[in-house]
Structures are given as C-alpha cells and as structure tokens.
Amino acid sequence: MARKKHQDGPAGPRSTDLETARALFPLAVDFAKVTGLAQTLELPLGASGVKAVAEALGSEERITRALEPLPAATLWVLELAADLGGGVVRDDLVALAENVGLAGEALDVAIDAAMGACLVFVVERRRMYYSESEDYVVLPLHGALAIARRVQGISVPEPPLASPTANTSPLRDILAVLTLPAHHPVKLTLAQLPNRTSLKRVAGALSMDIDTLERAFWAGLDAGVLGMRDGLLAPAPEALRRHDGTTRGAVASYVGSEWTSLERIARFRAGVLYAQSPELAHQQWDDTLVQLPTTPGVERCEHEGHTFVRRIAGGPATDWRAGSGDGHVTPSLEVMLGPDCHPRLALEVGLFAELVRIDRVLTFKLTRDSVAAGASLGLDLAHMLAVLDRVGRHAVPDNVQVTVRDFAKAARFVTIWPAQVLTASSVEAADRLASELGDKVLERPTPTMILVAAAEKDVANRAARAGVPSAGQIVSTQHPLEHGPVTQRALPERRPTPSLRARFLASKDALATTAPTRGPSGIVAALLAAATDEPVRAMLTVALELWREVEAPFAVWMKTLDLDDHNEALLMAQATPLAFAPLLMMEPVARDATFARSKTLEALVRRMTGEHRDSFAGRRLGKLMRHPAAERYFFESISGVVHALGSLADGEAAPRIGSPPSEKAIDLVDGRPRAADLGAQSTAALRSALDGYVSTGTDVWLRVRSKSGERVLHYLPEQLLTRGREVTLLGTDLDDEASRSFPLNAVIAARPTGFETKH
Amino acid sequence: MHGRRFRGTFAAVSSPSESRAAIIQGDRSVLLEVEHPGYEAARAVLARFAELEKSPEHVHTYRVSDLALWNAAAAGASADEVVEGLRAISRFELPSIIEHEIRDRIGRFGVCALEDVAGDPSTLRLTIAERFVRDRLAGDKKVAALVRPDGSGFLLAAEHRGLIKQALLGIGYPVHDRAHLIAGSPLAIEARIDRFTPHPYQRKSVQAFVEAGSHGVVVLPCGAGKTVVAMLAMAELGVRTLVITTGQEAARQWRREILHKTTLGEDDVCLYAADRKDVGPVTITSYSMLARKGGTGPTKHTHFDRLASEGWGLVVYDEVHLLPAPVFRLTAELQARRRLGLTATLIREDGREGDVFALIGPKRYDVPWRELEKSGHIATAVCFELRVALAEKERLRYATATPREQPRIAGENPDKIDVLARIVERHAGDRVLVIGSYLDPLADAAQRIGAPVITGETPQRDREKFYAAFRAGGIRRLVLSRVGNFAIDLPEANVLVQISGTMGSRQEEAQRLGRILRPKPGGATFYTLVTRDTVEQEQALHRQLFLTEQGYRYFIEDTGDGAEETPGRAGGPTLH
C-alpha cells in the first residue's frame, strides 16, 4: 500500500496517475492518494502503461535533473538506500541518521524531497509473524542503478594522508580476560551469572573495572566460550579457539591496504544481506563497526571524525602457530605479549598462565596453580612449552622450561573420560576388537577387557566389522559429571529416522488409546499422542522426557506435604504438567535443592517460576515454550485434549480426541460410590465435565473435600451452579440434605450417576 | 628455531616510532628491550627518573615511581623534561594518565621546604606552599604537637627535622631540605691512589653525592666497591665520619679497607662494638649496637646517644636497604649531618623505601649491575640449581615430619654432600666457598672436601686466620655458616656452593652471591643444592625468581636419583 503520495503545487490527479501507481505498486490498494506522479515523471498526456512509467523512472536525464536541486541529506538517503541494496527500513534510516547528525524531522524532509522527485518511494512492509508493519524507503526498480551510480560514494569521507600508530587489539585483551576464570574462582549465582563478590576480587587483582569484567564474562557465557565446572565459571578452550577464528575470519575479505572508512565497509557488508534479512544485515553492520577496527592485522585511525581501517602491511601472521615474535618469556616466569601479538596466542598463554596486567603489554605469570589449571583444562606439558616457544624470538629460558615441567608434574586433577567397557568372550576376540578399534582404545586392563573412547554405536559397528558381534549391553563408564554443567549440557537430541517418524505419526491415534501411566508423564504422553502440530510435539516430547525423570522425586516431595497441598500439587501436575517446565529444566542437584527447600506447593511454584526463571531461558524446552507459534498452537490444541486429560486423571484409557469419555462400572457402598471410586480430576477437566453434565442434564456424584473429610454427594444438574472457581451446590444433597458451596479445588471429582452400575 | 622469525620483539611494524625501545604502561612501568638499538639511549633517559625494578635477560622493567620522580625533581628535573623524555623513548603514545601523574608528583616536590631560621640554629622553618597540605599537617595530632604555625608555614625544633620529613612524605609530599648541615670536625684523610685506582663510576657517584648537598643514596651492585665510594666521600669532605654497618664482621672488614686505602692510621679508625667501644675520627659500628636500648640519654639508647654527641661531619649507612626500623627513628635525630646511604637495591622487604628517601636522602647515583658486568667491573655470574633426591632413609621421616621440621630435614639431606664433592672436584683449580644454614651438614661437608669450617662459634682469631689463608691461596676451599652471608671480603672466591638455602630470603641470597662477584677472569659460578620434591624446592623458586629478575642466568638441573650422574648432563649447560 502506498504510504503517501502528495505533491505540492497545483497539479491534480490525472488519468495517468492511476496507471503510473499501478505500474509502481502492482499490489497496492489505496490509489486515491496517489496524485501528481505522471507530472513528476514528466509523462506526456495520454501516456500510460508499465513501459512508459519504467522508461520515465529510469531516464538518466530525468534522474540527473532531479538530483541536482536535492539537499545533502536527501542525497545521503539515496546513497544509503543504494548501498543497502535498493531500499532501507525507515526506522533504520532514523538510527543511522543520528550518526551523521540528522534529526528525525530533517530526515522526513529529506525523504519527502526524494519522494517528490520520484527517486524513492515509501511502501509499507509487513513482516512475517509480526503484526507490526514498517515503512520501507525504496529506490524505484527502473532507475535504481542510475541513481546508485550518481550517489554512491557521495558521503564517503576522504582518507587520511598520514599513517597513524597502530593500537593494541581489544580482541587480544578480551580473549585473555576470558581465560581468567581458569585461574580465579568465580562463583555463579543461582541464575548462573557471575557472582559480584568473586568478580570484585578478580577485578581488583587486575585493576580492572568490575562492570567491564562482568560484561566480558556475560558475553563469554552467551557465546558459550565460558561454562561452569564444579560450580565455578570456567573457560571452554575449544569454544574460545573457535570464537577467535570466527571473529578473525571475515577480515581478509573486506579490508584492503588502503584506508577505507568503516561505514563504507559496513554498508557494503550489510547491503549484501539487507533485502533478505535486515536482522543479519544489522549484525553485519554492528560487527563491522565494533569488531573490524579491533581485529588483528587491521590498523585503524581517526580522521576528520571518521574511523578508517586498513590491513597492516605484513601484519601479524595469520597462523598463530607461526608465532608473532611480539613477546617475551622472562626467566622470572613472566610471559609478556606485546600489542601486536596474535590474539590466539594470548588465549593459549592465558589458559595456563595467570593474567596479571592488561596494558599495552599483557603480562602473565606462570605459577604452580596456573599450570595446574591449564593441565586441568586438558593442556599437556608439550603444548604449554610449544605455546611458550611461540611467544617471542628468544628461546624459552632453561629455568622456565624446567619449572613449568615441575609445575605440570605436580598438578593434581582428575580427567573423566567417557568410555565404553568392552568385555570380550576371549582373548582372541579382544585382540580382533582392539585391532579394529585402533587408537580408540584407551586401555586394556585385562586380556579380555578393553576401555574404548568412542560412542556406543560406533563401537558396536566396529565390533561387527571385526567379526565380534556385541552381546548384551555395553556398559558405559561415563561418570554422571561427564554430562557437564547446566550451561554446557544439551538436552537429548531426538532425531528419528524418517521411516520411524512416519510409522509413529501413522499410529499416534492408536498410541493414544493405549493405557498410559497415571501421573503427569502419562498426561503429557496423552497430550503428545493427541497433538499434531510440530512445535507442540517437539515441546511435548521434551516435556515427556523430563517429566519421566522428575516424576519419582516429585512424588517423594509430594509425600512431605500436608494432605491439602498434596492433593493440590497432584491436581496441578496432572492438569497442567507443563506449568512445571522450570522445575523440569533444572539440573538434578538444583532440583533436589528446590524440593528440599519448598515446604509447600506455593513455595515450589514461587521458587521455580520466580527467582530461577531467567536461568532457563536458554534451555531447549524454555525456548520451545517461548516460541510464539508453539505457544499459540499449544493453547489451541490443548483445549481439544482436555477431555482426554480428565479421563487420564481417573486412570482410564485415554480416549481419542472428540469421542465421549468411556467410564467403567464400580460397586456401591451404602447406595453410593466410595470417594476412592471417584478418581481425582484436574481443575480444567472437572470444570469441563461439570459443564457437560449441566448441559446434558445428567445427575452427578461429586467427590468433595471438607474439614470433616472427603465424601461423595449426589446432586441434580440443576443444583449445580459453576461460577468462576466456585462450584455452588443449590439445594441439598438428594440423600443427606447437606447444602454447601465449595471452591472448585475442594471438588475432587465428578461422575454421572449410573456409571457405578455399569459393572 | 631461533632463525625463523620475525620483525623484532614487541614489534610495531610500519610505525615511525618503531626505533624506540620502550613501552610505557598505564601503571607507570616501563618495559625496555635490552637488544633494541634504542636501548642505550632509553636507559640513559630512564636512569634520571625511573627505578630499575627487574632486569632479566631480554626485557628490563623500570618504574616511574613517586620516589623516582622526586629523586629526579631533587636533581633538578622538571615535569616537562620527564614527559618529553618518556615520549622520546616510547614506542606508543603515552597513556594519558601518565602525564597527569608525572606533573602532579613532580609538582609536589618543593611544595614543602625546610629552611634555617636566621639567628636561631635550634629552630627550622617549614614552608608549605599549598593550603591543603598545611591543613593536613595541622590536623595531624602527632605532628601538630611538634610544630607551631608561622605565617604560611610552621616553626619546629631542629631535632624534629626527620620526623616532620617522614610525616610529610607519608601524605605524599616530600620535603625539600634546604636547612643547614653541621659541618662536623675536620679530618685529614686522603685516598691511597698509589694502592688502588678508583673506578670512574665510583668517582662519579661521589661527585654526584657531594654536589647534591652531601645527603643521599648511592646504588651500586654487590662487588662494585661501595666501600671505596664511602672512602672517597670521606676524603672529599674531610670530616669525622661515623660508619654504620650490618654487623661486627662487616665492621672489621670496613676498618681493614679504610686502613688499606686511606692515609688514616690504626688509631684513627675505631670499632665501636660490644667488646670494644672505641670512638675515633672514623668510628665504625653496627645497626644492632645503635638499636640497643638503655641509658638516660635523650633517646634512651645508650650507644646511639653516646655516638650522636660526637661531631660527625658524615654518617655512612652501609646496606641502607637493611636499615632496621628502630634505627630509622634514631636516624631522624641525625638529620643535621651529611648522610651517605650505600646499597645494592632500594627495594626493601618491608616496603619502607619512603623512609630511606626522607631520612637518608634521594638517590644520587646508580649503575645497573649489567653495565658493570659488561665493563668487567664485576664478575659475570651463572647460577645453577642442582636438584638432589632426598636420601632414601630420610624420606619416611620427611613425610611424617611437621611443616616446621621439614626444611631442616630437606636442608640436611646427606646426599647433598656427594654432589658437593663432585662439584668441588670439578672446580679443583678454583677458590670454592661452601655456605649453609645447618651446622651438622657443614661439618660433614668440611670433612668430605677437606676444608676448614667457620661458624658463629669459631673464635675471631681463627676466622681471621682462615680468611687470610684463603685470600693468600693457602686454603682453596672454605666452609661457612651464616656468618658468611654478609661482608666477608674474599674477592678471590669464584665458586660458591650453597648447600642449604636461606628459606627463600631474597636479600640473603643476593648477599651470598655477592661474595663471589668481585671481578675475576672466568667469571663466577653459584650453585645451590636443593632437595627435590621437598619444601626446599618451593623455597628455591622464590630465590630463582629474585635472581632471574636481577638478570642472572639461572639453570636448573637434576642430579638424578643416585650420586653417579654428573651435574650438567641431560643437555644442560656445561658447568664451569
């Protein structure tokens, strides 16, 4: 839809305007406001059709004339639109305009001027999944190239003539800082963020600003280069190495040997992506402005208010292993890395030497503890000595080599390997296995036993290849801790084969009619069986897995509650099992602690939804539940399975969605069913059932809870009035004339009379 | 491996400032590359306003400390000169904070000055140019009791001169002491240049000291001849002199040197010690004597009061970095005398460098040891740490010993004696000193290598006899207990074997090493025997750090489990 097309001056709408607008915006709806276009495009009277409009829009002569009187701000808008692939979201323009000192109103004037000259058009763009729309400032298709040729580079600043001095690389410092948790204990809060007191200690030791350090660690956690080990922050060496490589990877493509303004590179990088993905383009833009000037091998300077970069001639070696020579290992066990050192080297050194000063020269100290920390991160002595050897152009002093060797020898730590234990039927079978497994064999404690570092499936395959088929289960020696801390632990992947998946989908209805287990996991299983939308299924699959794990401790915990709370918790778990998602996502230790601390259901809910909430944002289930589509589909579909829930709560087989609940017969005692015969129902199921009974005029048995205990009452449907969370019983019990109203959660179950006779 | 790279250490290619050797950091430390072509020029610049903190092989660390800046200011340097000096040698732009701090610190020098009050030699005037400092001083109850306001400053009794200087330095304002110094009784003394030729740096240091008003510190490495500097200063000033040393042994050595190298006679140079308390034109005593309490004198320190009443024109503080805290207080009483501090390092283990500045004076001259080593004025020393396994029979005892007992068990490791014997055998033609902290192994060592042993219980006469024999070459090996740590002048020694350590004391280690640093052909070798995998190895690490920071080459070698293997095998450097 055209946003606005008004023109100053006397020209009114002409017959060609409509044709012109249609040519410009074939999908546009509101043509009423489109006036004066034909005049602006200098279309002759009577001219019409796409061809005429295209010719007019692309006329170089017209464009040259139109550009001539335009103000600088308008030219900047046109240049930016051209640089970003032909169009730019107006809000982005506003943000970028601030950088060049252009206020919002001035920007409007600039855009209007360009629109008035038919050099840009503003269209409304609606993006998928979001209801908001955004204005998109676009160059006309016909003419865009001609406009771009004339405006691109118009605002590019002149590069400097002099060569400034190179600065140090913040990436070097950042990587070095991220190694600090290897040497300083940094505790994590319950929300798995660095503890301020720990940070204060580290920041004090380095004379660093605590907020800067905290931001660095947050960023490290977000990027996955920092994790948790034994409750403390710890660097993840491999992730850090990847991080370094990724950051530096893009440089070579964009930075030449001549000074180039950062903005120009940013526009180029963002422009490639902008039309397809403004988000990615923004990221490219930001990356360029923030990371490029600090990337090794890139020199920067400030000139007339602009930042320029260029590649350092013969800059640092791209391969850190070649060494930079920009440092020293001193005999007094210090490692100094100069401003020109390769950031990767700072990282490698920092993993086993403690960073003690961040300045032009990074200073690290080799200590017994630092080397032990490095060893515990998986670095061996040879690696450490090799890294030291790359630091400078001098050999590592003799005493340093010996001392580091001493330190490494004295390091105390345990490495927990995921391994499979294979017990072969004979020595000969073990030999064949060992031969096939090659370097995967860790150790052979006995002639028939082999410790293997390989996945179970891989081992089984290799065993089969070796002609030694696996018999029985291969025992894993994987220590529970090997699963890693919460921040590093991935939820189990579910990647069924397509055929299996197809079979599963085909039989899901049948699955739903098989009797599930009682309890929350049964409910979730039923939901899963009934659900058809993929986001919901993905979420429920994970939820089911987690609930199966949690169900037992949950039951134990419920036993510690008083009766009311117990029933309430049970009802809540059965009615809304996914409400316990935060609890499900906790690591076992934290979950057990939460159970231990929560003496009531309310306390449990508060703990799992309040203080811990943020820590689950990154977990898989959390992400799934937060996905807007999943959420919507979930709530749409969940209403369809509510009857199934009610039945499941009774311990009955889950019905297919849409079919009436089946009920089984029971014996009566004193003319009415026992309370135990009316299995507890979830609140939602109860409400639904009561509504159903009222609407169908069915007599009901109600199992209610009061101070005097539980009992079963007999009511006519017209005596039931449900109002909000209240169930009001009008009149009296048909048999004992009791007249009460109960809150809904005091009504445990409802059943139609007569169900008891279907024995 | 070493020919493969690169462009230069701390390289900053394509930068016009590449030719500059120094990197100046935000904490006012300056890293100076020794092999850089600009090193000499940068060192000359830094010598004026920075302290050399560490001098390992390739990179030296200087620090532009407050005291160093005030030393520079006292020598007449301005903030502009310091900043420009740093800019001239800095590879990169100066950190912005540096210039600010330098201007601030140097600006503080001269804010407070002590001057004479005309006609009243017992009173001094303290002028303070900044009101903030005046208020601060007036608000200090302890100091306020010693001064009385007078215009833009204060008046104070002359005897409180040192205390006021300490107090003001404590709040970051050094005092420019322009008050008079007591001339002291004259003394006819000349250096016997017919017997020795002073080195140029010794003359320069005396000249710098005298030109700066005859109060301050001269920093020279061990073995560089600090005693000669003191004698030249005495000859230059021609006044009665009190020399305060670290102990009796050192005092005797001072006396011997003075008698040998000056025109003074036996009666002119007296020892003021526990056994003989003679006072003469040149009197030599020890810090411990001065610190001894007693008597009814003004300071309630018998010997100090006795000596302070003499008309000394110069007081020499030997090894000023070891000046004990009680003596600082007493030294404050001696502010009206010329004061010469001698030391190898201004760094004190107790961090009281400021007191040295306030009470003795600023640094007037220093020469890094590496320069003297280059010029051959001190010996080139190489250090070896030899690891010796703990004797089999001692291992259980060590494992079950308390942490307090463990150092002794490790130190007395009997297997060290075998290693010592092999070292001595290897150095058959050298003069070998063996030093240790525990007496039993020393006796075993002496017996094994056939050398006399000197301990604290050895009579002085016997000690002198052994020393003389060693100097003369009659004895080529000598075993010493801790008495050998300080001021034993055995310049002929070129090998020192430390069979038990110094519990990690850096000063003691330096002093022991200093015993063999007198210049000699072939250099000097320092061995320290360390019991492997014991607390001794940990202590050795501290000493290793200190020695390497000082710039000594340090090698660690394992002598193997048995005594068969020779030190220096396994690809290590060849032992001397």
Side-chain angles (χ1 to χ4, degrees), chain B residues 3-304:
Chain B
R4 66 186 185 198
R5 51 193 187 226
F6 297 99
R7 291 155 284 122
T9 320
F10 291 146
V13 288
S14 71
S15 160
S17 55
E18 187 182 356
S19 60
R20 297 170 188 163
I23 292 179
I24 296 156
Q25 310 232 77
D27 62 347
R28 286 198 261 161
S29 63
V30 181
L31 303 175
L32 188 57
E33 288 174 327
V34 177
E35 287 140 20
H36 196 282
Y39 166 74
E40 288 298 340
R43 201 202 70 75
V45 170
L46 288 171
R48 298 174 58 205
F49 50 76
E51 298 287 355
L52 178 62
E53 222 171 42
K54 293 182 229 172
S55 52
E57 216 169 352
H58 303 298
V59 184
H60 290 183
T61 303
Y62 285 79
R63 188 166 298 279
V64 188
S65 66
D66 287 358
L67 288 179
L69 287 170
W70 292 329
N71 281 329
S78 68
D80 283 340
E81 285 170 6
V82 174
V83 170
E84 287 311 313
L86 284 174
R87 284 209 175 107
I89 63 170
S90 176
R91 183 167 306 157
F92 304 110
E93 201 175 315
L94 284 189
S96 54
I97 185 88
I98 292 275
E99 183 174 346
H100 166 78
E101 288 185 351
I102 288 171
R103 293 190 185 285
D104 173 66
R105 298 304 188 278
I106 287 198
R108 293 183 187 194
F109 188 83
V111 168
C112 307
L114 268 176
E115 290 161 343
D116 292 318
V117 174
D120 183 2
S122 63
T123 305
L124 297 174
R125 184 191 313 282
L126 175 66
T127 58
I128 300 180
E130 287 183 11
R131 183 174 174 175
F132 159 75
V133 186
R134 275 201 301 276
D135 293 347
R136 185 93 189 264
L137 196 64
D140 185 322
K141 283 182 185 172
K142 277 172 89 173
V143 176
L146 305 177
V147 297
R148 56 182 190 278
D150 177 57
S152 64
F154 300 90
L155 292 176
L156 62 139
E159 64 262 30
H160 296 143
R161 187 172 175 171
L163 293 176
I164 293 298
K165 284 158 71 173
Q166 268 182 301
L168 278 164
L169 194 78
I171 60 170
Y173 284 82
V175 175
H176 191 185
D177 190 348
R178 296 196 288 254
H180 73 284
L181 294 172
I182 293 170
S185 308
L187 173 66
I189 171 174
E190 281 182 26
R192 292 284 298 269
I193 52 174
D194 54 324
R195 291 185 178 173
F196 78 105
T197 307
H199 297 305
Y201 64 84
Q202 289 168 326
R203 287 193 183 282
K204 280 184 192 167
S205 60
V206 173
Q207 188 184 352
F209 169 72
V210 173
E211 282 177 359
S214 300
H215 59 102
V217 178
V218 171
V219 183
L220 291 176
C222 290
K226 290 189 284 287
T227 320
V228 171
V229 171
M231 286 185 285
L232 293 176
M234 286 155 62
E236 180 73 23
L237 296 169
V239 290
R240 283 165 64 93
T241 301
L242 174 67
V243 179
I244 314 173
T245 69
T246 52
Q248 283 190 48
E249 205 67 57
R252 287 192 192 91
Q253 186 191 314
W254 267 86
R255 184 169 185 271
R256 197 167 50 243
E257 283 284 299
I258 292 171
L259 290 175
H260 180 251
K261 290 183 173 129
T262 67
T263 53
L264 294 179
E266 290 277 347
D267 294 341
D268 297 326
V269 185
C270 299
L271 289 180
Y272 188 94
D275 49 351
R276 286 182 61 179
K277 297 179 181 61
D278 297 335
V279 176
V282 173
T283 299
I284 306 166
T285 187
S286 64
Y287 292 123
S288 58
M289 285 296 290
L290 293 187
R292 212 167 282 178
K293 288 184 179 176
T296 55
T299 68
K300 304 287 188 290
H301 288 75
T302 310
H303 306 303
F304 179 84

Side-chain angles (χ1 to χ4, degrees), chain A residues 517-522 546-556 558:
Chain A
T517 58
R518 284 181 66 100
S521 63
L546 293 173
W547 252 119
R548 281 177 177 156
E549 187 186 334
V550 174
E551 203 151 23
F554 186 78
V556 171
M558 281 199 303

Side-chain angles (χ1 to χ4, degrees), chain A residues 521-681:
Chain A
S521 63
I523 307 294
V524 178
L527 283 170
L528 176 61
T532 53
D533 294 303
E534 272 314 305
V536 177
R537 293 191 60 79
M539 174 172 59
L540 291 174
T541 304
V542 178
L544 178 59
E545 167 107 5
L546 293 173
W547 252 119
R548 281 177 177 156
E549 187 186 334
V550 174
E551 203 151 23
F554 186 78
V556 171
W557 171 76
M558 281 199 303
K559 285 179 183 168
T560 66
L561 304 178
D562 65 35
L563 186 62
D564 284 357
D565 239 14
H566 175 278
N567 290 337
E568 186 84 7
L570 183 63
L571 282 171
M572 183 175 165
Q574 290 175 332
T576 54
L578 291 175
F580 288 87
L583 182 77
L584 305 180
M585 287 183 284
M586 288 182 186
E587 70 165 326
V589 174
R591 194 174 58 222
D592 291 347
T594 303
F595 279 139
R597 286 194 216 117
S598 306
K599 304 300 179 196
T600 63
L601 175 64
E602 186 187 349
L604 181 82
V605 170
R606 195 175 58 245
R607 279 181 195 286
M608 72 180 187
T609 56
E611 58 203 75
H612 301 284
R613 190 170 183 167
D614 290 343
S615 62
F616 307 115
R619 302 296 301 273
R620 189 173 159 206
L621 183 56
K623 278 180 180 169
L624 287 168
M625 291 192 71
R626 278 166 176 73
H627 192 287
E631 188 179 24
R632 178 161 54 81
Y633 290 132
F634 173 72
F635 286 114
E636 280 173 6
S637 60
I638 203 163
S639 60
V641 295
V642 81
H643 288 293
L645 283 173
S647 301
L648 281 168
D650 289 339
E652 298 163 2
R656 290 178 60 177
I657 293 172
S659 65
S662 66
E663 294 172 338
K664 65 179 183 180
I666 55 169
D667 294 329
L668 299 180
V669 176
D670 296 333
R672 60 180 67 204
R674 292 167 300 192
D677 294 332
L678 275 65
Q681 289 170 282

Side-chain angles (χ1 to χ4, degrees), chain A residues 178 188-189 192-196 199 211-226 233:
Chain A
L178 290 176
L188 292 173
T189 62
Q192 296 180 26
L193 296 172
N195 167 285
R196 286 284 289 188
L199 287 175
D211 293 329
T212 306
L213 186 67
E214 188 173 42
R215 278 197 297 275
F217 285 171
W218 280 355
L221 283 165
D222 280 351
V225 297
L226 292 180
L233 200 62

Side-chain angles (χ1 to χ4, degrees), chain A residues 2-27:
Chain A
R3 179 176 168 264
K4 58 178 180 180
K5 298 288 171 281
H6 63 83
Q7 277 271 279
D8 290 336
R14 301 196 304 179
S15 60
T16 49
D17 282 352
L18 192 58
E19 290 298 321
T20 306
R22 281 183 176 149
L24 289 172
F25 314 112
L27 298 177

